[in-house]
Amino acid sequence: MAKCHRNNVDPLILHRIPSASSSSLSGNTFSGSSLRRIIFDAISCGGSSRYRRELREEDDEGCSKSTIIGEDSMRKPEKLSDLLNLAVIESGVETKKKEETLEILKRVVKDLQAEAEAEAEAAEKKIAAASEVRLLAKDDIEARVTLAMLGAIPPLVSMIDDESQSEDALIASLYALLNLGIGNDVNKAAIVKAGVVHKMLKLVESSKPPNQAIAEAIVANFLGLSALDSNKPIIGSSGAIIFLVKTLKNFEETSSSQAREDALRALYNLSIYHQNVSFILETDLIPFLLNTLGDMEVSERILAILTNVVSVPEGRKAIGEVVEAFPILVDVLNWNDSIKCQEKAVYILMLMAHKGYGDRNAMIEAGIESSLLELTLVGSPLAQKRASRVLECLRVVDKGKQVSAPIYGTSSLGRERGHDLRMTDERKAVKQLVQQSLQSNMKRIVKRANLPHDFVTTSQHFSKSLTF
């Protein structure tokens, strides 16, 4: 059989086939089938050589990969072990830190509760402990819970009632209680249950002259505690509203702008509970709020309080009795740069127009129609809806009858004459003034709303139908 050889360029060379004479001498025969077999073996020999070379290369690569995988598999347990060890170390550090924090909290509460032989030493310990509670509870939710569970609230409340305590001690205890109640309704309820409301009011009454720093701390506490619904009736019936109103009215003399803001927010929280409205009406808060409207820093908060007051009949009556109440509220409807104020003002007017016919006449006399029409065109969706409802209420005449003229179009001549005959001279004058006000403002409204000029004619019919 022929032999296979490989040179540098992988050619296949067949050795010379023996001649017939030599083959005859050796006694062998060489047929065509033998020749084909030799050629096939030569080709197979070259192909299999290449195949074996590729297999060897693949085996070498596989061997190297398996070696790398083997090394990685050996490294993985080592990495996992390191991670587990690190987690154990971190867990141990965290546990130790929590234990240290707990020991600090226990020590602080112990200082608050302890009674030393020397009064001066006891007072110093309590002041330091209250200041520490204030800092620990300021930003730590868990500390607030733990301190309350350890019993920090009762001694802090008792410090407020102690006449021997200094101003620093009172302020430290008040702000410590304030921070303990932040975002924790359980603590807020516990603080009120411990009797802090009456103790704070007693402290205010005993401060002669009033101490501004202590008063501001008490206002801040009333703000925080009044956020809890179960505390609203307790605080409202305690006399705290009188103190908050006084703080609000005299903020320029005895309190800061922050105290004024806190007092307004506390009064808003208390006015949510409808039974507290009667306590609010015992003060002169409503006239003060209406006359303060215009101060943009507090106007939205004032209107928010009035929206709660107007929801009860006594509140609507109190607002209606204030001189210039409706012109003031109607003026708010024109505050186009304060959408929230517009929405709240029109809500107040909507409830009052719906409940009382006399209030509707006062609104018309204040020139409310043009402002309502403007709101229905360029106001927010909520303001537009409420303004439309007020306009519907204003179309109702005495004894539940409606003006015969539709919103768009004119009334019959006979009905209009009959209606005019029933009018008093005063009502006629009011109607004339209203129509003049509407017509003078209509062009301005149309211009701002970018409506066609011929809309003025249609709107004049609309304005006539709104007057009596």
Side-chain angles (χ1 to χ4, degrees):
M1 185 179 293
K3 296 180 179 180
C4 297
H5 296 280
R6 182 183 302 274
N7 58 14
N8 293 334
V9 292
D10 294 342
L12 291 177
I13 303 173
L14 293 175
H15 285 293
R16 179 181 293 179
I17 301 173
S19 62
S21 59
S22 62
S23 64
S24 62
L25 292 175
S26 63
N28 295 329
T29 60
F30 188 78
S31 62
S33 61
S34 298
L35 179 61
R36 288 195 297 272
R37 181 67 179 175
I38 292 171
I39 295 172
F40 177 77
D41 289 340
I43 295 172
S44 299
C45 181
S48 60
S49 297
R50 288 194 300 273
Y51 181 69
R52 282 195 297 271
R53 184 181 60 150
E54 292 175 357
L55 286 178
R56 283 197 300 272
E57 292 176 353
E58 291 178 0
D59 291 340
D60 293 340
E61 292 177 359
C63 182
S64 61
K65 289 181 179 180
S66 63
T67 303
I68 295 172
I69 294 173
E71 293 176 355
D72 291 341
S73 62
M74 293 177 66
R75 291 173 184 169
K76 284 182 178 179
E78 296 178 358
K79 293 181 178 179
L80 181 59
S81 178
D82 293 340
L83 290 174
L84 291 175
N85 293 333
L86 182 61
V88 171
I89 294 172
E90 290 179 351
S91 177
V93 172
E94 185 177 356
T95 302
K96 186 177 180 180
K97 185 177 179 181
K98 287 184 177 181
E99 291 176 353
E100 292 176 353
T101 303
L102 181 60
E103 292 299 324
I104 293 173
L105 298 179
K106 287 181 178 179
R107 176 186 58 77
V108 170
V109 175
K110 185 178 179 181
D111 290 342
L112 284 173
Q113 297 172 341
E115 294 292 340
E117 295 181 359
E119 294 183 0
E121 182 181 352
E124 290 179 0
K125 277 190 174 182
K126 287 185 177 182
I127 294 174
S131 300
E132 202 164 354
V133 170
R134 176 183 179 181
L135 294 176
L136 290 171
K138 183 177 181 181
D139 300 315
D140 193 339
I141 298 175
E142 294 182 0
R144 296 169 196 156
V145 177
T146 306
L147 285 168
M149 292 177 63
L150 292 174
I153 292 176
L156 287 171
V157 173
S158 64
M159 289 177 65
I160 301 174
D161 198 28
D162 190 352
E163 296 180 356
S164 64
Q165 295 294 337
S166 64
E167 178 182 341
D168 294 337
L170 293 172
I171 293 176
S173 60
L174 286 169
Y175 281 110
L177 290 170
L178 175 65
N179 289 347
L180 284 174
I182 296 175
N184 192 312
D185 291 344
V186 176
N187 287 358
K188 289 176 182 176
I191 292 170
V192 171
K193 188 176 180 180
V196 74
V197 175
H198 293 284
K199 293 181 185 297
M200 288 192 298
L201 292 175
K202 182 179 178 181
L203 179 60
V204 170
E205 294 174 357
S206 63
S207 298
K208 301 295 182 182
N211 188 299
Q212 180 177 347
I214 293 177
E216 290 180 2
I218 292 175
V219 171
N221 270 276
F222 277 133
L223 170 60
L225 297 175
S226 63
L228 184 64
D229 289 341
S230 61
N231 289 343
K232 287 179 172 63
I234 299 173
I235 298 174
S237 60
S238 66
I241 292 176
I242 298 175
F243 163 69
L244 292 172
V245 172
K246 186 180 296 184
T247 302
L248 182 62
K249 293 176 62 178
N250 301 328
F251 80 95
E252 293 182 353
E253 300 176 1
T254 60
S255 57
S256 63
S257 59
Q258 182 62 50
R260 177 179 68 160
E261 179 67 21
D262 290 346
L264 272 174
R265 293 170 62 189
L267 288 168
Y268 170 76
N269 289 341
L270 295 173
S271 66
I272 294 174
Y273 185 67
H274 288 172
Q275 280 73 7
N276 285 336
V277 174
S278 60
F279 298 112
I280 292 175
L281 298 180
E282 292 176 359
T283 67
D284 56 350
L285 178 63
I286 303 303
F288 174 78
L289 293 180
L290 287 169
N291 292 323
T292 309
L293 275 176
D295 185 350
M296 300 308 296
E297 292 183 0
V298 295
S299 290
E300 185 175 348
R301 187 71 61 184
I302 289 173
L303 290 168
I305 296 173
L306 293 176
T307 56
N308 292 332
V309 173
V310 78
S311 60
V312 298
E314 297 83 357
R316 291 192 291 273
K317 182 180 179 181
I319 294 174
E321 291 176 350
V322 176
V323 179
E324 299 295 322
F326 292 108
I328 292 172
L329 291 172
V330 170
D331 182 63
V332 178
L333 300 182
N334 300 319
W335 294 0
N336 298 304
D337 55 343
S338 182
I339 297 176
K340 294 296 183 182
C341 289
Q342 285 182 328
E343 293 174 350
K344 289 178 173 61
V346 73
Y347 174 79
I348 297 169
L349 293 167
M350 179 182 69
L351 288 185
M352 298 195 71
H354 179 70
K355 299 295 184 179
Y357 177 76
D359 294 335
R360 299 173 201 162
N361 290 333
M363 293 178 193
I364 294 173
E365 292 176 0
I368 193 175
E369 291 94 339
S370 60
S371 299
L372 291 175
L373 288 172
E374 184 173 356
L375 273 184
T376 58
L377 296 174
V378 298
S380 67
L382 182 58
Q384 290 178 0
K385 182 178 179 180
R386 290 174 175 175
S388 298
R389 295 189 65 179
V390 177
L391 287 172
E392 291 176 1
C393 292
L394 295 180
R395 295 182 63 234
V396 179
V397 296
D398 199 10
K399 296 181 181 181
K401 295 181 180 180
Q402 292 185 345
V403 178
S404 57
I407 294 181
Y408 294 103
T410 57
S411 60
S412 62
L413 183 60
R415 290 181 179 179
E416 186 174 358
R417 288 178 178 175
H419 183 65
D420 289 339
L421 290 174
R422 291 192 300 268
M423 284 185 176
T424 63
D425 293 339
E426 182 179 356
R427 293 286 299 279
K428 289 181 179 180
V430 170
K431 178 182 177 181
Q432 184 178 2
L433 289 173
V434 169
Q435 289 180 347
Q436 291 177 356
S437 175
L438 287 174
Q439 293 173 2
S440 63
N441 286 286
M442 193 56 61
K443 291 183 179 179
R444 178 174 57 87
I445 296 173
V446 171
K447 183 178 180 180
R448 292 184 59 181
N450 294 324
L451 295 174
H453 185 69
D454 56 0
F455 183 79
V456 177
T457 305
T458 305
S459 59
Q460 287 176 350
H461 294 295
F462 183 43
S463 61
K464 289 180 180 179
S465 66
L466 293 174
T467 56
F468 301 154

